[in-house]
Amino acid sequence: MAEAFNEITLPAEKAERYAAVSAEIASVLEGEPNLVARMATVSSMLANSFAHYFWTGFYVVDEAKGDELVVGPYQGTLGCMRIAFGRGVCGTAAATGRTQVVADVHAFPGHIACDGRSASEIVVPVVGADGRLIAVFDVDSDRPAAFDGVDQEWLERILARTFSSRAA
Ligand code: SME
């Protein structure tokens, strides 16, 4: 396992740790097709690798409703159950298909506060092998402006590699 929870001060150190966790996730999930297992593993391994992660997990598209997310595998305090497309940071990522990096969640219109300690957030859309949105991956931090382009680049890469490609 990559060293967890020692503070990262340089973007290069953060990128290095993402690269290591990314390789570990690919290795642990090799040959495992189950989506819940894949989401639970990604949540656990990322949450335990970075000190700036406070809540880490998936909101999955509720196929029965089509335009609503329901909480999936996560690490952290109790998450909200359901989020409509377009609502809050997760719903905006789902509706637009674009990663949301929010430096101050309290300044984000419609932000949903599941845990009042969340200060900043990144939400990355997750696309399945057929090219359709299957979930969003949400990381909250209790620190303001905790996420930058390094988090975005690596999370997008890890999620694409884990969920969009059939080669596990
Ligand atoms: N803050 C999110 C809701 C999910 S939780 O923080 C776990 C949002 O506004 O989408």
Side-chain angles (χ1 to χ4, degrees):
M1 268 300 250
E3 291 280 310
F5 289 115
N6 50 331
E7 281 299 324
I8 290 174
T9 48
L10 299 170
E13 289 176 11
K14 184 152 76 170
E16 217 172 278
R17 190 170 303 173
Y18 270 115
V21 187
S22 174
E24 287 170 3
I25 289 170
S27 149
V28 169
L29 289 178
E30 199 181 339
E32 177 51 68
N34 183 275
L35 270 185
V36 174
R38 296 180 79 78
M39 289 183 182
T41 301
V42 168
S43 298
S44 172
M45 292 183 79
L46 285 169
N48 286 287
S49 296
F50 294 102
H52 64 302
Y53 279 39
F54 172 69
W55 192 98
T56 311
F58 291 85
Y59 278 88
V60 300
V61 176
D62 185 341
E63 290 299 338
K65 301 217 176 193
D67 59 354
E68 196 168 285
L69 300 163
V70 61
V71 75
Y74 67 94
Q75 301 267 317
T77 53
L78 182 66
C80 315
M81 286 299 123
R82 288 178 177 271
I83 300 172
F85 276 35
R87 265 201 76 211
V89 187
C90 290
T92 300
T96 60
R98 298 179 72 96
T99 296
Q100 307 292 308
V101 181
V102 180
D104 174 6
V105 293
H106 304 295
F108 191 94
H111 167 252
I112 303 157
C114 300
D115 187 312
R117 287 170 289 180
S118 289
S120 61
E121 179 165 6
I122 183 168
V123 183
V124 182
V126 180
V127 171
D130 64 359
R132 290 181 358 168
L133 183 79
I134 56 169
V136 299
F137 183 66
D138 177 16
V139 188
D140 290 18
S141 182
D142 53 1
R143 307 167 187 189
F147 304 103
D148 57 20
V150 175
D151 298 278
Q152 176 170 358
E153 186 189 327
W154 275 98
L155 289 177
E156 287 177 352
R157 188 178 298 179
I158 290 168
L159 293 161
R161 180 192 272 190
T162 309
F163 296 99
S164 305
S165 92
R166 287 211 180 269

